[in-house]
Amino acid sequence: SQQGEEDPQALSIQEGENATMNCSYKTSINNLQWYRQNSGRGLVHLILIRSNEREKHSGRLRVTLDTSKKSSSLLITASRAADTASYFCATQGAGSYQLTFGKGTKLSVIP
Amino acid sequence: KAGVTQTPRYLIKTRGQQVTLSCSPISGHRSVSWYQQTPGQGLQFLFEYFSETQRNKGNFPGRFSGRQFSNSRSEMNVSTLELGDSALYLCASSATDSPYEQYFGPGTRLTVT
Protein backbone atom coordinates (compact mmCIF):
# COMPACT_ATOMS: atom_id res chain seq x y z
CA SER A 1 0.00 0.00 0.00
CA GLN A 2 1.12 3.57 -0.59
CA GLN A 3 2.59 5.40 2.38
CA GLY A 4 1.38 8.82 1.36
CA GLU A 5 1.26 11.44 -1.28
CA GLU A 6 3.76 13.49 -3.21
CA ASP A 7 2.88 16.99 -4.15
CA PRO A 8 2.71 18.16 -6.84
CA GLN A 9 2.01 15.17 -9.10
CA ALA A 10 3.68 16.99 -11.98
CA LEU A 11 5.99 19.98 -12.14
CA SER A 12 7.34 21.82 -15.16
CA ILE A 13 10.10 24.41 -14.79
CA GLN A 14 12.73 26.19 -16.84
CA GLU A 15 16.36 25.13 -16.72
CA GLY A 16 18.18 27.00 -13.97
CA GLU A 17 15.14 27.32 -11.72
CA ASN A 18 14.72 25.48 -8.43
CA ALA A 19 12.30 22.56 -8.09
CA THR A 20 10.59 21.67 -4.83
CA MET A 21 8.69 18.45 -4.24
CA ASN A 22 6.82 17.49 -1.09
CA CYS A 23 6.03 14.15 0.43
CA SER A 24 3.71 13.16 3.25
CA TYR A 25 3.61 9.83 5.06
CA LYS A 26 1.35 8.17 7.58
CA THR A 27 3.28 6.03 10.06
CA SER A 28 6.35 6.44 12.26
CA ILE A 29 9.58 5.94 10.38
CA ASN A 30 13.24 5.06 10.80
CA ASN A 31 14.23 7.04 7.73
CA LEU A 32 12.93 8.61 4.55
CA GLN A 33 14.62 8.33 1.18
CA TRP A 34 14.29 9.98 -2.19
CA TYR A 35 14.71 8.14 -5.48
CA ARG A 36 14.77 9.22 -9.10
CA GLN A 37 13.40 7.21 -12.00
CA ASN A 38 14.03 7.99 -15.63
CA SER A 39 11.25 6.98 -18.00
CA GLY A 40 10.24 3.56 -16.61
CA ARG A 41 13.75 2.45 -15.76
CA GLY A 42 15.28 1.45 -12.45
CA LEU A 43 15.31 3.67 -9.40
CA VAL A 44 18.39 5.67 -8.47
CA HIS A 45 18.95 6.38 -4.78
CA LEU A 46 19.42 10.10 -4.17
CA ILE A 47 19.50 10.72 -0.46
CA LEU A 48 18.52 9.20 2.89
CA ILE A 49 17.51 11.25 5.92
CA ARG A 50 17.08 9.62 9.31
CA SER A 51 14.16 10.34 11.60
CA ASN A 52 16.37 12.29 14.02
CA GLU A 53 17.69 14.58 11.28
CA ARG A 54 15.95 17.72 10.08
CA GLU A 55 17.92 18.65 6.99
CA LYS A 56 20.45 17.05 4.69
CA HIS A 57 22.37 18.20 1.64
CA SER A 58 23.93 16.35 -1.26
CA GLY A 59 25.28 18.40 -4.14
CA ARG A 60 22.33 20.33 -5.60
CA LEU A 61 19.85 18.44 -3.43
CA ARG A 62 18.45 19.57 -0.12
CA VAL A 63 16.06 17.40 1.86
CA THR A 64 14.10 18.42 4.94
CA LEU A 65 12.15 16.21 7.28
CA ASP A 66 9.45 17.25 9.75
CA THR A 67 8.42 14.20 11.74
CA SER A 68 5.79 16.15 13.69
CA LYS A 69 3.99 16.86 10.43
CA LYS A 70 5.02 13.55 8.83
CA SER A 71 6.32 15.37 5.80
CA SER A 72 9.48 15.87 3.78
CA SER A 73 10.57 18.09 0.94
CA LEU A 74 13.17 17.70 -1.77
CA LEU A 75 14.71 20.81 -3.28
CA ILE A 76 16.75 20.60 -6.48
CA THR A 77 18.63 23.82 -7.09
CA ALA A 78 19.72 25.17 -10.48
CA SER A 79 17.85 22.44 -12.34
CA ARG A 80 19.14 20.95 -15.57
CA ALA A 81 17.37 19.21 -18.45
CA ALA A 82 19.00 15.98 -17.23
CA ASP A 83 16.99 16.28 -13.99
CA THR A 84 13.83 15.47 -15.96
CA ALA A 85 12.51 12.32 -14.28
CA SER A 86 10.01 11.04 -11.74
CA TYR A 87 10.94 11.49 -8.09
CA PHE A 88 9.69 9.22 -5.35
CA CYS A 89 9.91 9.40 -1.61
CA ALA A 90 10.03 6.15 0.32
CA THR A 91 9.97 5.37 4.01
CA GLN A 92 11.31 2.55 6.15
CA GLY A 93 10.01 1.72 9.59
CA ALA A 94 12.13 0.69 12.55
CA GLY A 95 13.56 -2.79 12.08
CA SER A 96 12.12 -3.10 8.57
CA TYR A 97 13.97 -2.74 5.29
CA GLN A 98 10.79 -2.70 3.24
CA LEU A 99 10.44 0.55 1.30
CA THR A 100 6.97 2.08 1.19
CA PHE A 101 6.75 4.50 -1.71
CA GLY A 102 4.71 7.56 -2.46
CA LYS A 103 3.06 8.09 -5.85
CA GLY A 104 5.85 10.27 -7.17
CA THR A 105 6.30 13.68 -8.77
CA LYS A 106 6.99 13.92 -12.48
CA LEU A 107 9.48 16.73 -13.05
CA SER A 108 10.05 18.24 -16.48
CA VAL A 109 12.93 20.68 -16.90
CA ILE A 110 12.65 22.69 -20.08
CA PRO A 111 15.95 23.73 -21.70
CA LYS B 1 31.49 -2.93 -8.81
CA ALA B 2 28.82 -4.01 -11.25
CA GLY B 3 25.31 -2.90 -10.38
CA VAL B 4 22.22 -5.00 -9.86
CA THR B 5 21.35 -6.93 -12.99
CA GLN B 6 17.98 -8.31 -13.96
CA THR B 7 17.09 -10.74 -16.69
CA PRO B 8 15.26 -10.73 -18.94
CA ARG B 9 14.68 -7.03 -19.48
CA TYR B 10 11.46 -7.52 -21.42
CA LEU B 11 9.02 -10.39 -21.46
CA ILE B 12 5.69 -11.07 -23.10
CA LYS B 13 3.55 -13.87 -21.73
CA THR B 14 0.01 -15.13 -22.22
CA ARG B 15 -2.60 -15.17 -19.49
CA GLY B 16 -2.45 -18.44 -17.55
CA GLN B 17 1.26 -19.03 -18.15
CA GLN B 18 3.94 -18.73 -15.52
CA VAL B 19 7.11 -16.66 -15.53
CA THR B 20 10.43 -16.58 -13.71
CA LEU B 21 12.47 -13.42 -13.32
CA SER B 22 16.07 -13.32 -12.20
CA CYS B 23 18.09 -10.83 -10.19
CA SER B 24 21.81 -10.73 -9.46
CA PRO B 25 22.69 -8.36 -6.60
CA ILE B 26 25.76 -6.22 -6.27
CA SER B 27 28.73 -8.36 -5.30
CA GLY B 28 28.81 -8.78 -1.53
CA HIS B 29 25.19 -7.78 -0.99
CA ARG B 30 23.19 -10.48 0.77
CA SER B 31 19.75 -8.87 0.87
CA VAL B 32 17.50 -8.80 -2.18
CA SER B 33 14.06 -7.21 -2.37
CA TRP B 34 11.47 -7.24 -5.13
CA TYR B 35 8.97 -4.53 -6.05
CA GLN B 36 6.17 -4.30 -8.57
CA GLN B 37 5.45 -1.01 -10.33
CA THR B 38 2.18 -0.39 -12.16
CA PRO B 39 0.54 2.88 -13.27
CA GLY B 40 -2.44 2.23 -11.03
CA GLN B 41 -0.89 0.94 -7.81
CA GLY B 42 2.55 2.53 -8.06
CA LEU B 43 5.53 0.86 -6.42
CA GLN B 44 4.63 -1.99 -4.12
CA PHE B 45 6.83 -4.27 -2.06
CA LEU B 46 6.69 -7.97 -2.94
CA PHE B 47 9.24 -9.70 -0.71
CA GLU B 48 12.72 -9.55 0.76
CA TYR B 49 15.32 -12.28 1.07
CA PHE B 50 18.42 -12.43 3.21
CA SER B 51 20.82 -15.37 3.27
CA GLU B 52 18.34 -17.60 1.40
CA THR B 53 15.51 -16.85 3.86
CA GLN B 54 12.43 -14.80 3.18
CA ARG B 55 12.57 -12.04 5.76
CA ASN B 56 9.48 -10.07 4.79
CA LYS B 57 6.54 -10.40 2.43
CA GLY B 58 4.14 -7.87 0.96
CA ASN B 59 0.44 -8.19 0.40
CA PHE B 60 0.39 -10.20 -2.80
CA PRO B 61 -1.42 -13.47 -3.61
CA GLY B 62 0.35 -16.81 -3.33
CA ARG B 63 0.84 -16.87 -7.11
CA PHE B 64 3.84 -14.65 -6.43
CA SER B 65 6.78 -16.49 -4.94
CA GLY B 66 10.51 -16.10 -4.75
CA ARG B 67 13.69 -17.66 -3.59
CA GLN B 68 17.31 -16.80 -3.02
CA PHE B 69 20.32 -18.95 -3.74
CA SER B 70 23.53 -19.38 -1.76
CA ASN B 71 25.30 -16.88 -4.06
CA SER B 72 22.61 -14.29 -3.17
CA ARG B 73 21.06 -14.36 -6.64
CA SER B 74 17.30 -14.32 -6.46
CA GLU B 75 14.40 -15.40 -8.62
CA MET B 76 10.75 -14.54 -8.45
CA ASN B 77 8.02 -16.61 -10.00
CA VAL B 78 4.50 -15.67 -10.95
CA SER B 79 2.15 -18.54 -11.76
CA THR B 80 -1.17 -18.43 -13.59
CA LEU B 81 -0.51 -14.99 -15.01
CA GLU B 82 -3.31 -12.44 -15.11
CA LEU B 83 -3.56 -9.31 -17.24
CA GLY B 84 -3.11 -7.23 -14.08
CA ASP B 85 0.34 -8.73 -13.52
CA SER B 86 1.65 -6.61 -16.38
CA ALA B 87 4.18 -4.37 -14.66
CA LEU B 88 7.77 -3.36 -14.22
CA TYR B 89 9.37 -5.70 -11.69
CA LEU B 90 12.28 -4.16 -9.84
CA CYS B 91 14.90 -5.89 -7.79
CA ALA B 92 17.04 -4.14 -5.19
CA SER B 93 19.99 -5.25 -3.11
CA SER B 94 21.57 -3.87 0.02
CA ALA B 95 24.75 -4.44 1.98
CA THR B 96 24.79 -5.92 5.46
CA ASP B 97 26.58 -2.90 6.92
CA SER B 98 24.13 -0.40 5.40
CA PRO B 99 20.88 -2.32 5.08
CA TYR B 100 18.65 0.70 4.68
CA GLU B 101 20.20 1.86 1.41
CA GLN B 102 18.89 -0.15 -1.49
CA TYR B 103 20.32 -0.25 -4.99
CA PHE B 104 17.90 -1.01 -7.77
CA GLY B 105 18.33 -2.88 -11.02
CA PRO B 106 16.89 -1.70 -14.36
CA GLY B 107 13.81 -3.86 -13.98
CA THR B 108 12.01 -6.48 -16.04
CA ARG B 109 9.06 -5.23 -18.07
CA LEU B 110 6.44 -8.00 -18.09
CA THR B 111 3.50 -7.76 -20.46
CA VAL B 112 0.67 -10.27 -20.11
CA THR B 113 -1.64 -10.62 -23.12
Side-chain angles (χ1 to χ4, degrees):
Chain A
S1 61
Q2 297 296 312
Q3 171 68 290
E5 299 289 328
E6 268 112 327
D7 165 45
Q9 291 188 329
L11 179 61
S12 184
I13 60 173
Q14 296 288 328
E15 204 166 28
E17 294 180 337
N18 295 342
T20 299
M21 289 160 263
N22 302 298
C23 163
S24 63
Y25 58 92
K26 296 176 182 173
T27 61
S28 62
I29 62 171
N30 173 280
N31 65 77
L32 184 143
Q33 303 179 37
W34 286 89
Y35 287 84
R36 184 184 76 225
Q37 185 178 39
N38 289 86
S39 192
R41 296 186 178 180
L43 296 162
V44 175
H45 183 268
L46 296 176
I47 196 164
L48 180 154
I49 186 166
R50 302 186 193 287
S51 60
N52 61 354
E53 297 175 311
R54 292 296 166 258
E55 187 170 312
K56 203 161 181 181
H57 297 253
S58 177
R60 293 184 297 114
L61 305 180
R62 186 185 80 140
V63 170
T64 61
L65 178 64
D66 186 336
T67 53
S68 67
K69 295 181 179 178
K70 291 188 167 59
S71 68
S72 173
S73 68
L74 170 68
L75 169 67
I76 303 174
T77 60
S79 63
R80 306 165 181 167
D83 294 329
T84 295
S86 291
Y87 291 81
F88 295 89
C89 69
T91 58
Q92 286 176 323
S96 170
Y97 306 118
Q98 168 185 342
L99 286 166
T100 302
F101 286 89
K103 294 185 185 298
T105 293
K106 191 168 185 177
L107 173 66
S108 298
V109 181
I110 303 164
Chain B
K1 275 185 181 177
V4 177
T5 58
Q6 293 187 245
T7 56
R9 293 291 311 279
Y10 302 91
L11 203 50
I12 300 174
K13 288 286 188 179
T14 303
R15 194 169 44 183
Q17 289 185 315
Q18 75 165 15
V19 68
T20 299
L21 311 181
S22 180
C23 170
S24 292
I26 292 172
S27 177
H29 286 192
R30 293 166 61 191
S31 171
V32 173
S33 298
W34 290 88
Y35 294 84
Q36 180 198 62
Q37 185 177 27
T38 60
Q41 298 299 316
L43 283 151
Q44 294 190 292
F45 171 77
L46 280 157
F47 23 65
E48 182 212 355
Y49 287 88
F50 179 81
S51 292
E52 302 179 68
T53 301
Q54 187 179 86
R55 194 156 62 175
N56 198 0
K57 188 178 192 302
N59 189 25
F60 277 81
R63 300 185 297 106
F64 291 81
S65 62
R67 59 178 176 168
Q68 187 180 33
F69 302 95
S70 58
N71 62 357
S72 295
R73 190 177 70 86
S74 177
E75 289 181 347
M76 67 162 281
N77 184 276
V78 188
S79 62
T80 319
L81 284 165
E82 300 177 358
L83 296 179
D85 297 333
S86 294
L88 181 66
Y89 290 88
L90 294 162
C91 165
S93 72
S94 62
T96 307
D97 59 356
S98 56
Y100 289 106
E101 295 188 22
Q102 299 193 15
Y103 297 85
F104 282 80
T108 294
R109 173 75 63 184
L110 171 66
T111 302
V112 182
T113 61

